Amino acid sequence: MTRKRSLLSIGYAQLDEHDYEVFDQLVEGYAAAADWTKVKSLGEMALFVNPADPDLHAALGQAYLALGQIDDAVYEYQSALLTDPPLARPAIAHLGLARAYLARKHKAAARAAIAEALRVEPGSAEALALKKKL
C-alpha cells in the first residue's frame, strides 16, 4: 500500500528517520531553495541512513561551504568523490573543492581541483569561469 505524505515536513523526516527517500527529497528541495541550514541539519541526519550517497555528500559540501564551515565542506566534497556508486558529475565535487580551497586562500589546491574538474568535464563553463577568476 502506498501512502501519500508531505515531503516538506522536517517533523515527518524525524518520525520516519529510516526512510531515506524522505531525506533525499527534502535535502534536494531545500538545496534548490538555497536553505543551507536545513540542508545541513537534514543532510547530517540522512548520513546515518545512507552514508554512501554521493549526491548527499555534495549537497552537504555545498551547505557547509555556504555556511562558512570550510573544513567540513572539503571533507564532504572529498567523500562525494570516494563513494560507490560514484557521482554522476564528479566535476561538481571538484568545483566545490576549488571554492573551498579558495576560501582557505589555497590557490594551488584550487587550481588543481579546477584542472581535475576540466579533466572529467572538458569545456565546463563553470570550471572555466572559476579558472579565469584565479
Side-chain angles (χ1 to χ4, degrees):
M1 182 171 116
T2 304
R3 297 181 297 168
K4 288 189 176 186
R5 55 190 143 176
S6 169
L7 295 179
L8 298 177
S9 168
I10 292 176
Y12 181 81
Q14 290 170 335
L15 289 174
D16 198 2
E17 63 190 30
H18 298 292
D19 186 350
Y20 186 70
E21 179 185 339
V22 172
F23 283 112
D24 186 44
Q25 290 183 23
L26 285 169
V27 168
E28 185 178 315
Y30 285 121
D35 189 336
W36 303 119
T37 302
K38 287 185 180 162
V39 171
K40 176 188 169 196
S41 65
L42 287 164
E44 288 172 348
M45 287 189 280
L47 280 178
F48 288 105
V49 181
N50 188 359
D53 182 335
D55 295 317
L56 175 60
H57 286 289
L60 268 172
Q62 190 174 9
Y64 286 135
L65 187 58
L67 295 170
Q69 295 177 247
I70 308 305
D71 291 340
D72 292 326
V74 168
Y75 179 84
E76 291 303 332
Y77 283 126
Q78 288 174 339
S79 296
L81 291 168
L82 296 172
T83 58
D84 186 24
L87 269 171
R89 288 189 57 219
I92 291 170
H94 291 296
L95 290 169
L97 280 170
R99 287 188 187 90
Y101 294 140
L102 281 174
R104 285 182 171 171
K105 301 190 187 326
H106 294 151
K107 289 185 179 184
R111 280 188 193 95
I114 292 168
E116 191 60 22
L118 287 168
R119 186 187 69 76
V120 298
E121 200 171 291
S124 164
E126 197 174 351
L128 291 170
L130 197 54
K131 182 178 180 178
K132 191 174 185 179
K133 200 175 185 181
L134 274 171

